Amino acid sequence: MSIETELTKDFSLNLPITPAAKATAHRFAQQQPNPSKAEQVYRNTLAVLTVNDYLSMLGIRTDLEHSHSWNPVVRLAADVADLKVPDLGTLECRPVKPNVPTCYIPYEVWDDRTGYVMVAIADITTNPTEATLLGFLPAVSMTETPIASLHPLENLLEHLATVGRQVEQSTIATDSSSRSRVNLSEWLQGQVTEGWRSVQYFLSPDSQEFAFNFRGDAQEQVPATGRNHSSSRHGKLLNLGMKLGEQQVVLIVEIKATTDNRFRVFVQVHPASGSLYLPTGLTLTILDAQAQTFLQAEAREADNFVKLSFRGTPGEEFSTRIALENTAITEFFKI
Amino acid sequence: MSKTLDRESFRRLLEQTCRHPPHSLERQRGLTQLIRSIANSGKLWRESTEYYEDALQQTWIYFCQNLCEATTARSAYNPELASVTTWLNSYLKCRLKDGRMQTCEEQTKRIIPSQNQEEAQETATNFWENIASNPDIPPVLEETYSWAEQDLTGELRKVHIKHRPDVTAQILILRRLPPESSWESLSQEFNLSISTLSSFYQRKCIPLLYQFGQSQGYVD
């Protein structure tokens, strides 16, 4: 058995090389001044296009046009096969001949890469009709990187998801100062923030699942108007997921005045009407003003809701983050 | 983990995959595994026609978009009606039919010459010689070379390796444009490590080259 099949058969993925891809690769190769650059650019281009196809199929947005490998001047001046993935960085897509033990990674692509995907493409003179995504590495430190060290392709997806969460986290931290926050104290004065509604609004006629188990709070539905109430509860509908197959949940926040000028805040997430359970793996995180996590709950299988509560002082800022897989929605509050 | 899943494992994976929202990590992982299994099963229709790869690519997109929800199809895949391979093959054959009709209408010129007697004689070197820019230096290369050499704004000379004002972006760009000097020889020449040189090149020089390319409006 060849080296490649031994090590990568369970990790790899074959995808077709289309005539359009070959035409683009050919066009780029024709711009090169010598045969070896021509072959390099041709193979680099096919590798980039194969990875691009794979990511696009899975709904991951790419920016081919602004990738360096799509710039004629850079192609001449460097051995680059990058693919820009907006918000997540740049992937390097290295072509390699089938059944060789190492993949060549030129020095000029060792930095500034989110990761490396190796793509096996047979000698172009044999007219290959398919390319094989062999695997993934988050970083390289050798010009001849062993194929045996590659991680499965799925690790690429996980890596991108992790990077996405980190990017989002740092965006929140930098934005929080300028962001407008829901002022919960105002709720106690009968003022309700736009987008938030009384909890009754979200109850469907037959929703017995909406049982609020707030500690020590068997009573009160808060009237729509009124002044200086000791507690106030409102909900907001959130859409997780993109395009089709959205998961809708209701975020319910209650603020309750306790003694000595402090407040207790209750945060719950419920499925929107029509569902009995929250999606498994949904997490509710409470973050402090520095975007640090200080409470978290996760929906297990067949959970009707998740809830958290904490105490705070007037003016204190926090945010709630509801996440499912690699989608998250954050809401910002001030007590 | 075997290359091709048995029926039961496949069915379970399919169910699991569709339980997760579209574009979620778990959905993407599941789709990857399913495609791998289907591709390796040998049950997908194959033919060696010009338009096969296009049709196959469209089929995988169709698979990802309609396995769990109907995104582009009238209805999503229904396991009660057919096996996944049957469902995909039916779509694939439709696309192949489109490809066949289109080929009848246009004379698609093949970029890669087919393997016939004379062309089989062609060596790999001849192949690439014929593709590479012939006989002159490509205009983009010439213009890039001029730009770097003239450095009208002085920018390329201003950007240099820390503590080494003699190793400028201009010098490295001119040396790395084809016919390029190897990193090994540059390292010896300037008495700097390859990683210092290549890191500088990647981080400082390539963006300058990129901007030059953009500003020239070179359209592929």
Side-chain angles (χ1 to χ4, degrees), chain A residues 45-256:
Chain A
T45 307
L46 285 188
V48 171
L49 286 172
T50 308
V51 177
N52 186 58
D53 281 346
Y54 174 62
L55 296 180
S56 306
M57 253 172 15
L58 298 179
I60 299 173
R61 226 172 18 111
T62 59
D63 187 0
L64 209 45
E65 264 173 48
H66 294 110
S67 303
H68 287 168
S69 58
W70 240 243
N71 181 296
V73 173
V74 179
R75 284 198 295 270
L76 283 167
D79 182 355
V80 168
D82 67 322
L83 175 63
K84 240 184 143 132
V85 187
D87 300 330
L88 301 180
T90 304
L91 285 175
E92 183 71 18
C93 316
R94 298 308 305 184
V96 60
K97 296 254 167 88
N99 305 325
V100 302
T102 62
C103 179
Y104 173 66
I105 316 269
Y107 292 107
E108 60 254 45
V109 304
W110 284 23
D111 296 331
D112 293 344
R113 293 290 188 263
T114 303
Y116 300 77
V117 184
M118 316 315 180
V119 187
I121 302 171
D123 197 299
I124 304 298
T125 57
T126 65
N127 195 14
T129 52
E130 69 177 9
T132 307
L133 297 174
L134 291 177
F136 165 74
L137 279 177
V140 299
S141 54
M142 290 180 269
T143 48
E144 294 295 342
T145 298
I147 301 291
S149 68
L150 294 182
H151 303 173
L153 207 50
E154 284 84 326
N155 286 30
L156 162 65
L157 301 174
E158 204 172 301
H159 187 74
L160 290 177
T162 310
V163 172
R165 276 196 288 272
Q166 289 166 355
V167 167
E168 199 212 303
Q169 204 68 356
S170 64
T171 313
I172 291 171
T174 48
D175 280 358
S176 62
S177 49
S178 54
R179 210 169 271 278
S180 63
R181 290 170 177 272
V182 176
N183 190 323
L184 295 174
S185 297
E186 285 175 359
W187 287 12
L188 292 173
Q189 273 133 45
Q191 280 176 273
V192 183
T193 323
E194 196 183 307
W196 292 81
R197 314 183 105 127
S198 83
V199 165
Q200 287 284 32
Y201 178 83
F202 298 104
L203 289 173
S204 64
D206 58 344
S207 62
Q208 298 116 338
E209 70 265 24
F210 260 41
F212 297 107
N213 291 327
F214 290 123
R215 194 161 24 118
D217 174 13
Q219 16 100 342
E220 69 216 304
Q221 274 296 11
V222 182
T225 55
R227 300 194 151 271
N228 293 331
H229 288 277
S230 59
S231 72
S232 178
R233 186 197 313 146
H234 292 88
K236 185 173 179 178
L237 191 63
L238 300 176
N239 288 314
L240 292 169
M242 312 183 224
K243 293 194 180 145
L244 287 158
E246 284 174 342
Q247 305 269 347
Q248 290 193 318
V249 295
V250 183
L251 170 66
I252 299 184
V253 177
E254 172 169 352
I255 178 159
K256 188 169 176 162

Side-chain angles (χ1 to χ4, degrees), chain A residues 10-12 17 30-32 53-54 57 68 71 75-77 108 111-112 129 154 158 244 325-326, chain B residues 1 20 22-24 29 32-33 36 53 57 64 131 133 138 176 178 183 199 201-203 210 220:
Chain A
D10 296 334
F11 299 169
S12 58
I17 296 176
Q30 280 183 313
Q31 299 163 357
Q32 304 310 308
D53 281 346
Y54 174 62
M57 253 172 15
H68 287 168
N71 181 296
R75 284 198 295 270
L76 283 167
E108 60 254 45
D111 296 331
D112 293 344
T129 52
E154 284 84 326
E158 204 172 301
L244 287 158
E325 306 299 345
N326 55 358
Chain B
M1 216 201 317
H20 298 279
H23 308 148
S24 63
R29 269 215 271 248
T32 301
Q33 285 173 263
R36 187 186 287 134
E53 281 71 36
Q57 187 190 56
C64 292
I131 290 182
S133 178
R176 288 294 294 178
W183 290 115
S199 199
Y201 193 72
Q202 184 176 2
R203 296 192 148 143
Y210 178 83
D220 282 316

Side-chain angles (χ1 to χ4, degrees), chain A residues 228-290:
Chain A
N228 293 331
H229 288 277
S230 59
S231 72
S232 178
R233 186 197 313 146
H234 292 88
K236 185 173 179 178
L237 191 63
L238 300 176
N239 288 314
L240 292 169
M242 312 183 224
K243 293 194 180 145
L244 287 158
E246 284 174 342
Q247 305 269 347
Q248 290 193 318
V249 295
V250 183
L251 170 66
I252 299 184
V253 177
E254 172 169 352
I255 178 159
K256 188 169 176 162
T258 62
T259 53
D260 69 320
N261 202 33
R262 300 191 71 181
F263 297 92
R264 184 162 270 283
V265 178
F266 301 86
V267 181
Q268 280 199 345
V269 180
H270 283 253
S273 82
S275 312
L276 205 50
Y277 303 119
L278 284 177
T280 312
L282 178 142
T283 58
L284 168 64
T285 311
I286 312 286
L287 305 119
D288 65 15
Q290 281 76 44

